[in-house]
Amino acid sequence: MEHRPIFAAKKKSYVVYLGAHSHPSEEALLPSADELYSRVTESHCDFLGSFLGSREEARDAMFYSYTRHINGFAATIEDDVAAEIAKHPSVVSVFVNQGKRLHTTRSWEFLGLEHNGLVHSDSIWKKATFGEGIIIGNLDTGVWPESNSFSDVGYGPIPSKWRGICQNDKDPAFHCNRKLIGARYFNKGYAAAVGPLNATFDSPRDNEGHGSHTLSTAGGNFVPGASVFGYSKGTAKGGSPRARVAAYKVCWPPANGNECFDADVLAGFDAAIHDGVNLLSVSLGGGAAPYFNDGIAIGSFHAVKHGIVVVCSAGNSGPLDGTVSNLSPWLITVAASTMDRDFSNYVITGDGKRIKGESLSEKSLPAKFYQLINAANVKARNASAEQAILCKAGTLDPVKVKGKILLCLRGDNPRVDKGEQALLAGAVGMILSNNNASGNEIIPDPHLLPATHIKYSDGVTVFNYVNSSRSPMAMITQVTTQFGVKPSPVMAAFSSKGPNTITPEILKPDITAPGVSVIAAYTEARAPTDEEFDKRRIPFNAISGTSMSCPHVSGVVGLLKILYPSWSPAAIRSAIMTTATPFDNAMEPILNASSYKATPFSYGAGHMQPNKAMDPGLVYDLEIGDYLKFLCALGYNKTQISRFTDSPYKCPKRTSLLDFNYPAITVPKLSRRVTVTRTVKNVGPPGTYMAQVMSPDGVSISVKPSTLRFDKIGEHRTFSVTLKSRKVNAPKGYLFGELVWSDKTRSVRSPIAVRAM
């Protein structure tokens, strides 16, 4: 008889989502809450044990039991077991514990303070008492508690509603205070993916910088004299500078490009809802996925159900279409654009050209010319010119580089890594030129040597000069801070774009906010470049990404929560979206990084205008029932939906995604004619609003009624919008227009996106 070897089936870590718990209120549970949560965990063990054969095996396999608001667990099991569990009628979904990324451009390169750009004056800050009374939670890499942005000087007692903890049992040097009122860490999902972790992982301390930066942008305290190497010196402050803040560390060192795993993200959401935060800022995301196969979508659904606003980053996979992430209609998705401040220096070439660039280099060169050389022409013996021009590690010949200014091309490896390689090879300075995909987007980085970053067209000019000159020379001037830069904002090339690939009827991103060269608090455990070679440590750093734009919106949400505590998360999103502007500070349409007119697929409703958001006039409101109808329209059945509604639910006979009461109208398939409905709620004084429509080319749009009258706050009015394709050969692809309701004082603007078929 032939004996075949027996191999153990490969196991993966999975999340099993069972919906919502139907616990009594937290207050009603005390003091027996822990006992109840323990019983929930036991029930999860019983359930998993019925598939694995015993409770003991289930206990060994399970590494999370979500016991408070999210009902489910995470376990390491075989694929066939996961498939069997998914068939059970009590299960909403089963999905692999996927990894997600932080949405900052500092860690990798994608091809495809007072001047942080919040553009709101003291009016909204002071009216909202600078966010005092609000608790901002941040799902990220943790926090550096010693930062002055989290000082509690002048703060009173911690709010009595707070139920969180300062999880420092394994890291006694970590401390919370009356500003940073809580911190937790979640790493079991990460460990399930990468293997056992050592004790250094058992802390909410931010050793990466991302979490401190984002949390301080949303709710950092006032810090006079903040700067990056002396540039842009001023008072740093978050969007809600007097808010209390809490850190939920769910992201860890990259493993196969991923840092934040679904199982940990869900645990962070479950804890944050329990702890009593008012809003959650989430600067991370992954690829598009069905809503209930995604940790952020599930966690944010439960948060919004409890009145917590969730703000997420759109992603850094631009400029390609259809790359936007965090697509759930119950959260706010934020794109990234520039602000009206830059850190400029100039390249002066030997033939007299003066080319503007940007940099945050701490050091500068003497005002004299140096030999300028194309990195492709100083390649190491075993390197290709294609690799050398990118200034990758090991591709440069130090003998040929020493004492020269090196011309490198953007792409593949991090920008700051190119500067490090130039320095290691002996260059005195570096000019970093954009590739074609990066266009005009230039980002100042804290390079280790004098450097400048220039746009693509200017890079072509410099490369042509070097290649045509017998003895090319160049000078790099000292960096200066400039304000009032026009045009701004400009969409960042890295910012992910629509359309929404899961539900194209919902516009994503929702809004754009400053996400380029944002100065905020930083960890002092890492260098500003995040490179091991860099031994510098600074309390504030400038970073770019939709990770940075997300907390700008979070800070404004905190102010609006103070002004309007009874407003739903949807009403707050509506106020932010309908008061946004599609124009820059030159009163021209917002441009993309290639200097073409951007669209709502880049910026959503436009650039955030917080002062106007506090007086929006009308809002497009949504309640939990509206989201359930939305899920019905997507095909979720009543059994699945009842799992996370705490009660039986029956889908309406007819539902249309086009009628979902979003502050934007998107029609992905217009054949001849379609009518959509919307309802607005008056949150301002009595008044009459008139409809104004800008129709896209080839499409006619009419609104009925065209006038809405409101006699008091809280009144609702419903209207219909009919779109008709006017031409048989209407332009292909998406077209854009807008609907504005105006009472001559307030303008309630909704973008329209339509694709004629």
Side-chain angles (χ1 to χ4, degrees):
M1 174 182 281
E2 181 182 358
H3 294 277
R4 296 181 179 179
I6 300 174
F7 296 98
K10 185 172 178 59
K11 294 183 178 182
K12 296 192 192 89
S13 56
Y14 281 89
V15 173
V16 178
Y17 176 50
L18 302 169
H21 290 292
S22 56
H23 300 324
S25 68
E26 294 289 337
E27 291 76 14
L29 279 174
L30 295 174
S32 58
D34 290 342
E35 181 182 341
L36 174 61
Y37 299 149
S38 178
R39 290 202 302 267
V40 171
T41 300
E42 291 303 311
S43 71
H44 289 159
C45 282
D46 289 339
F47 179 81
L48 181 58
S50 68
F51 292 92
L52 297 182
S54 71
R55 288 169 55 89
E56 288 69 27
E57 284 191 68
R59 287 180 186 278
D60 291 341
M62 189 184 302
F63 56 88
Y64 275 125
S65 173
Y66 307 116
T67 61
R68 293 179 171 92
H69 299 280
I70 300 169
N71 187 4
F73 58 87
T76 302
I77 53 179
E78 296 169 5
D79 292 346
D80 58 346
V81 173
E84 286 300 312
I85 293 174
K87 298 175 185 176
H88 196 278
S90 66
V91 173
V92 176
S93 61
V94 177
F95 55 98
V96 174
N97 173 34
Q98 300 272 10
K100 303 184 186 301
R101 285 180 167 181
L102 298 168
H103 282 160
T104 171
T105 66
R106 181 174 51 76
S107 298
W108 51 80
E109 187 68 81
F110 288 95
L111 293 175
L113 340 170
E114 279 175 283
H115 287 278
N116 268 4
L118 277 175
V119 296
H120 59 270
S121 67
D122 283 350
S123 57
I124 185 171
W125 267 324
K126 290 180 178 177
K127 190 170 182 180
T129 62
F130 299 94
E132 190 165 352
I134 288 296
I135 301 173
I136 300 175
N138 194 43
L139 267 66
D140 214 305
T141 65
V143 64
W144 188 258
E146 292 83 6
S147 170
N148 287 337
S149 290
F150 308 116
S151 166
D152 67 352
V153 174
Y155 279 77
I158 293 172
S160 59
K161 69 174 183 177
W162 179 245
R163 294 185 293 269
I165 63 171
C166 191
Q167 193 177 1
N168 60 357
D169 52 317
K170 302 290 182 65
D171 182 5
F174 185 97
H175 59 86
C176 297
N177 56 27
R178 292 171 298 178
K179 169 70 173 179
L180 175 64
I181 61 175
R184 297 179 186 261
Y185 63 90
F186 305 90
N187 58 25
K188 295 177 183 177
Y190 178 74
V194 305
L197 306 176
N198 61 41
T200 62
F201 286 85
D202 295 333
S203 171
R205 179 173 292 279
D206 176 20
N207 294 311
E208 198 268 0
H210 191 275
S212 302
H213 197 279
T214 54
L215 184 54
S216 64
T217 301
N221 205 347
F222 297 89
V223 183
S227 71
V228 179
F229 300 129
Y231 302 124
S232 193
K233 192 171 184 179
T235 298
K237 53 182 175 285
S240 291
R242 294 294 292 176
R244 314 295 177 124
V245 296
Y248 298 86
K249 187 173 182 178
V250 299
C251 301
W252 306 90
N256 298 319
N258 296 309
E259 298 153 292
C260 327
F261 285 80
D262 276 316
D264 297 327
V265 169
L266 276 174
F269 269 107
D270 202 31
I273 298 167
H274 161 270
D275 290 348
V277 301
N278 298 109
L279 67 101
L280 277 166
S281 195
V282 185
S283 289
L284 55 102
Y291 296 123
F292 292 110
N293 283 14
D294 175 74
I296 294 176
I298 293 171
S300 60
F301 179 87
H302 287 271
V304 168
K305 182 182 170 185
H306 287 82
I308 299 168
V309 183
V310 182
V311 186
C312 294
S313 48
N316 295 348
S317 298
L320 297 177
D321 290 341
T323 51
V324 62
S325 62
N326 292 322
L327 304 174
S328 306
W330 40 82
L331 49 77
I332 303 174
T333 306
V334 187
S337 41
T338 64
M339 62 184 85
D340 64 346
R341 175 202 65 195
D342 64 26
F343 303 100
S344 303
N345 61 354
Y346 291 83
V347 174
I348 302 173
T349 56
D351 60 353
K353 292 185 175 65
R354 182 178 174 88
I355 295 169
K356 182 180 178 180
E358 291 194 37
S359 179
L360 277 170
S361 295
E362 183 180 9
K363 299 177 180 178
S364 59
L365 285 173
K368 68 177 186 177
F369 284 96
Y370 293 83
Q371 187 175 348
L372 174 62
I373 192 160
N374 181 342
N377 297 332
V378 290
K379 67 181 185 68
R381 178 175 298 178
N382 296 324
S384 67
E386 291 77 15
Q387 294 296 302
I389 200 171
L390 295 172
C391 294
K392 291 188 172 183
T395 65
L396 302 173
D397 184 342
V399 174
K400 298 176 181 177
V401 173
K402 187 175 181 180
K404 301 177 178 67
I405 293 177
L406 192 64
L407 178 58
C408 301
L409 185 67
R410 185 178 181 181
D412 286 7
N413 53 323
R415 301 179 302 275
V416 291
D417 180 63
K418 298 173 191 288
E420 178 186 335
Q421 298 308 316
L423 181 64
L424 289 172
V428 296
M430 178 186 71
I431 300 171
L432 175 61
S433 168
N434 271 354
N435 53 22
N436 189 34
S438 302
N440 296 333
E441 175 196 75
I442 54 178
I443 299 174
D445 291 303
H447 291 289
L448 288 155
L449 79 172
T452 190
H453 184 180
I454 61 176
K455 63 185 182 181
Y456 172 69
S457 58
D458 287 336
V460 171
T461 298
V462 177
F463 272 107
N464 287 340
Y465 164 67
V466 172
N467 294 336
S468 63
S469 175
R470 184 170 295 180
S471 181
M473 306 291 286
M475 177 189 302
I476 300 176
T477 68
Q478 189 170 0
V479 177
T480 59
T481 306
Q482 295 189 352
F483 301 103
V485 175
K486 290 185 178 181
S488 63
V490 172
M491 295 309 302
F494 60 75
S495 187
S496 292
K497 293 171 60 180
N500 183 328
T501 55
I502 296 295
T503 314
E505 294 83 359
I506 304 298
L507 180 70
K508 290 290 178 177
D510 295 308
I511 197 78
T512 189
V516 178
S517 305
V518 175
I519 295 177
Y522 199 63
T523 180
E524 295 188 47
R526 297 294 286 270
T529 60
D530 199 30
E531 298 288 327
E532 294 295 333
F533 183 82
D534 188 356
K535 302 304 179 185
R536 298 173 297 175
R537 298 294 184 268
I538 55 177
F540 288 85
N541 200 8
I543 314 180
S544 300
T546 55
S547 280
M548 286 62 247
S549 58
C550 167
H552 276 82
V553 176
S554 301
V556 172
V557 168
L559 301 179
L560 293 174
K561 289 282 284 186
I562 287 290
L563 293 176
Y564 307 108
S566 65
W567 279 14
S568 70
I572 288 176
R573 176 180 55 206
S574 177
I576 290 172
M577 289 179 67
T578 61
T579 57
T581 177
F583 296 103
D584 60 28
N585 58 359
M587 293 311 296
E588 297 290 336
I590 292 174
L591 302 177
N592 63 23
S594 298
S595 296
Y596 294 107
K597 182 180 175 180
T599 75
F601 285 158
S602 292
Y603 54 65
H607 183 65
M608 177 177 62
Q609 298 189 105
N611 277 342
K612 291 190 175 182
M614 68 175 171
D615 184 21
L618 308 175
V619 296
Y620 294 82
D621 208 356
L622 290 161
E623 298 177 347
I624 189 65
D626 297 297
Y627 295 121
L628 300 182
K629 291 177 185 177
F630 170 84
L631 296 173
C632 290
L634 288 181
Y636 288 88
N637 61 49
K638 64 180 183 180
T639 302
Q640 291 173 307
I641 294 175
S642 66
R643 296 293 175 197
F644 42 79
T645 60
D646 303 336
S647 60
Y649 184 81
K650 186 176 181 180
C651 286
K653 289 184 178 179
R654 295 184 61 184
T655 56
S656 172
L657 293 171
L658 295 176
D659 293 333
F660 186 67
N661 204 41
Y662 218 66
I665 296 173
T666 306
V667 180
K669 295 179 181 180
L670 176 64
S671 56
R672 293 182 181 177
R673 168 184 176 143
V674 69
T675 297
V676 305
T677 62
R678 291 291 188 273
T679 299
V680 286
K681 176 182 178 181
N682 183 36
V683 294
T688 300
Y689 287 79
M690 304 286 291
Q692 302 168 349
V693 174
M694 185 183 76
S695 299
D697 183 34
V699 177
S700 66
I701 300 177
S702 59
V703 181
K704 290 185 179 180
S706 59
T707 301
L708 302 176
R709 178 175 173 174
F710 298 90
D711 297 319
K712 59 183 179 181
I713 288 180
E715 283 186 324
H716 294 77
R717 295 287 183 266
T718 298
F719 61 91
S720 63
V721 180
T722 300
L723 301 91
K724 289 183 186 178
S725 181
R726 291 190 300 207
K727 301 176 183 177
V728 176
N729 57 346
K732 301 300 180 184
Y734 278 95
L735 306 167
F736 303 95
E738 65 179 29
L739 165 64
V740 180
W741 289 102
S742 176
D743 67 350
K744 298 184 179 179
T745 300
R746 301 160 193 83
S747 292
V748 186
R749 179 182 166 276
S750 293
I752 297 174
V754 55
R755 183 172 62 173
M757 305 301 289

